[in-house]
Structures are given as C-alpha cells and as structure tokens.
Amino acid sequence: MNVSSANVTVVLQYRDSFTEAVIKNVIVLALGIFINYINASLIHTFSKHQIFKSNPRYILFIHLVFNDMNQLTTTISLFIVTYNFRTIYVYHCCLLMVPAIMTTQNTPLNIAFIAAECYIAVCIPLRYNNLCSVKRTYIVIGIMWTCSSFSVLPDVFILFATEPLEFINSKVMCYRETLFRSKSSLKKRDASHMLFLVVVWLTLFYTYFRILFVAKAADTDAKKARNTLLLHGFQVLLCMTIYVQPMLQQVLSYFFPGSLSAIYFVLFIINQILPRFVNPIVYGLRDKTFRKYFKMHLLCTMNVHPKTTVMMRT
C-alpha cells in the first residue's frame, strides 16, 4: 500500500499546461466553496433550532458537517499549494497535513457512530435514552478525535525525533508519504488504515442488516430500508476509498504511467471532495425534519434580501 517517492518525482515530470493547471485549480476551488456554503447553511440551521441540539442523531450529523468543512478547507489548501508551488517547507506541510489527516479519518468513524445510533433507535428503542444521551454523544465525538489523532500525531513525533535537521528545514512535495517517510510511519499508516477499514465496515454491515431485518419483521417499508442501505453503502464506500488510495495510485500508475497528473487529480476529487458533497444529502437533506427547517432558513434568507435591497434604494 506504500507509494514510492519515485512516483511523486515522476509526477513532476508531467507538469500540466497553464490552461490545464488553471482549470484544475478552478474546479477544485469552486467545488470547495459550493460544498462549504451548503455545509455552513446546515450548521446555521442547526444552531438556530433547539430541537436539533437535544437530539444525538443531529449532533452527530452536524459534527460530520463541521468536520467536512475543515477537511475540505485543509485538503484543498494542500492541493492548491502543492499543485502551484510543488514544494513547501516541511513544517508548513506538517501544519496542513495533520488536520487534513485527522478530519479525513474522522469521516468514516462519524458515519459508523451514526449507524450505531440508528441501530439503537430501531432495534433497542427502550434503551435509546440511556445509551444515546447528549452527554454521551459529545463523549463519542471526543473519542473520534482521539482515535484520529493517534493515527497521525505519533508520525509527527517520529518525524522530529528521527529526521535530520537538514530535512526539517528543507522543502518537500507535501504528501503524507514524503513528509512521514520513515518505515515505522508507513507501517503504522497501513496498519491503522486496515484497522479502521475492518472496524467501520463490520459496524456498518451489522447495524444496517439488523435494521433491515427489523423493518421486515415489523411489516414496515422494507423497500425503503433496502434503498437506504444501498445509499449509505455507496456513500461509505466513497469515504473509505481514502484507505486504499495508495494502492489505487500504484495500480493506476502501473497501467497508465503517462497520466500520473490526471490520476492524482481524479483520485483527489473522488476521495476528498465527492464524499463531502454526498454527506449533506444523505444525512441532512433526506431527513424530513431537518429538510423542513432548512427550507425555512432558505426562504427567510430569500425574503430578507429583497427587503434589504428596497431599504438600501430608499
């Protein structure tokens, strides 16, 4: 699953033309601004209504949205800086890389906890209030950040403890493999990816299939449950492709050695941006209650602007 530094070096040999570079940067920046605007509107809707602040499901959802905003901001900043400047100082790269890795790791963990909350609500509703209190929800969020920090902070310690001072003060291509390049960091990265992959997928399979069986037994809309299962599975698959990204890069680089720049760009869109576009739709806008208040927020915004314009003209 390791990406060799040779692959990163080869990418430099396939520099895009000025037009291609501008198009790629504009696409990434426009997608990031658009998705973060939607996410900011969702957070504003959540903050304005007490009904969401006392519900663990909405708290987990809005944490996912907040995490995605931070993830998009850091990863797009990394993309633009790396794409345009090619190399940056190691400590600058570290400041961008650490939050990018942590927020990326948080996403599948957050989805797993949302699945667990849905399982408790459907399969063991009598224990829901005890197991899914607001206080415990915030504890779960703290656990997410602790797990994601353990996946990257040891790499930072290894970096400053083992690398020579010349490397710390040098410029590098800002990729995880070139920044945390020790064998220990690479092995730990692969091990943590596999652990997250197994734990999250087992959680999702168990919870959603149990929900599906309960829906059938209760004579509820099993077709809707199956569709929800498939939609969540697709969305989680998108989020968790980040765990196999190094392997995909190696495989695609082997079959398309002359298209490394395009490979990195497409994988960046698929792994980092597309899941953040799907998350608000799957977990927010499909929810009837949240969608109702979100529409109210949009209608209020649209009604306020014309009045403001008239006052300004007057």
Side-chain angles (χ1 to χ4, degrees), residues 27-287:
I27 289 174
V28 168
L29 193 59
L31 287 173
I33 292 173
F34 174 71
I35 296 171
N36 272 349
Y37 174 77
I38 295 176
N39 287 338
S41 299
L42 294 173
I43 292 175
H44 179 74
T45 302
F46 174 87
S47 64
K48 290 297 182 179
H49 302 285
Q50 186 62 35
I51 186 176
F52 300 128
K53 298 178 183 179
S54 58
N55 191 314
R57 180 172 302 176
Y58 295 115
I59 295 173
L60 287 172
F61 161 68
I62 215 63
H63 174 262
L64 179 65
V65 172
F66 174 78
N67 182 80
D68 283 352
M69 288 187 66
N70 286 282
Q71 191 272 347
L72 272 179
T73 302
T74 53
T75 54
I76 289 176
S77 299
L78 268 172
F79 176 87
I80 293 175
V81 168
T82 304
Y83 195 89
N84 293 282
F85 296 99
R86 301 295 171 178
T87 59
I88 61 176
Y89 286 105
V90 166
Y91 43 86
H92 290 158
C93 178
C94 194
L95 289 175
L96 289 172
M97 187 63 65
V98 170
I101 294 174
M102 290 178 64
T103 51
T104 300
Q105 297 278 26
N106 273 342
T107 300
L109 290 177
N110 206 140
I111 294 171
F113 280 116
I114 289 176
E117 187 274 339
C118 291
Y119 164 75
I120 295 172
V122 174
C123 299
I124 45 177
L126 297 180
R127 300 187 59 190
Y128 181 85
N129 291 332
N130 292 329
L131 296 175
C132 296
S133 63
V134 173
K135 181 179 179 180
R136 291 191 176 187
T137 304
Y138 285 110
I139 292 175
V140 163
I141 292 174
I143 292 173
M144 288 185 216
W145 285 97
T146 301
C147 292
S148 61
S149 64
F150 282 160
S151 70
V152 64
L153 291 184
D155 294 331
V156 178
F157 297 139
I158 293 173
L159 169 66
F160 288 99
T162 61
E163 295 291 352
L165 188 61
E166 291 80 6
F167 177 77
I168 302 298
N169 294 325
S170 65
K171 291 184 176 182
V172 295
M173 286 284 291
C174 196
Y175 295 101
R176 184 172 183 173
E177 296 79 13
T178 55
L179 180 64
F180 306 124
R181 60 181 186 173
S182 70
K183 291 183 179 180
S184 299
S185 293
L186 294 174
K187 291 180 179 178
K188 185 192 66 62
R189 181 203 64 183
D190 294 343
S192 64
H193 282 185
M194 292 302 297
L195 178 63
F196 276 57
L197 189 68
V198 171
V199 170
V200 172
W201 270 115
L202 287 178
T203 302
L204 291 169
F205 272 113
Y206 177 79
T207 54
Y208 282 121
F209 278 109
R210 285 296 303 271
I211 291 172
L212 183 61
F213 294 148
V214 169
K216 286 183 177 181
D219 293 328
T220 56
D221 192 355
K223 183 177 180 180
K224 182 178 179 180
R226 287 195 298 269
N227 292 338
T228 301
L229 173 63
L230 292 175
L231 185 60
H232 284 299
F234 171 72
Q235 190 266 349
V236 172
L237 183 63
L238 285 177
C239 290
M240 298 184 68
T241 51
I242 189 65
Y243 291 157
V244 294
Q245 179 175 342
M247 185 189 307
L248 288 175
Q249 288 175 349
Q250 278 192 327
V251 172
L252 293 175
S253 299
Y254 177 80
F255 287 105
F256 306 100
S259 305
L260 295 181
S261 179
I263 290 171
Y264 276 76
F265 177 73
V266 171
L267 288 179
F268 178 81
I269 296 293
I270 293 174
N271 293 336
Q272 302 292 349
I273 294 183
L274 188 57
R276 276 79 214 175
F277 176 74
V278 177
N279 281 343
I281 299 173
V282 173
Y283 292 103
L285 300 183
R286 289 183 73 250
D287 182 271

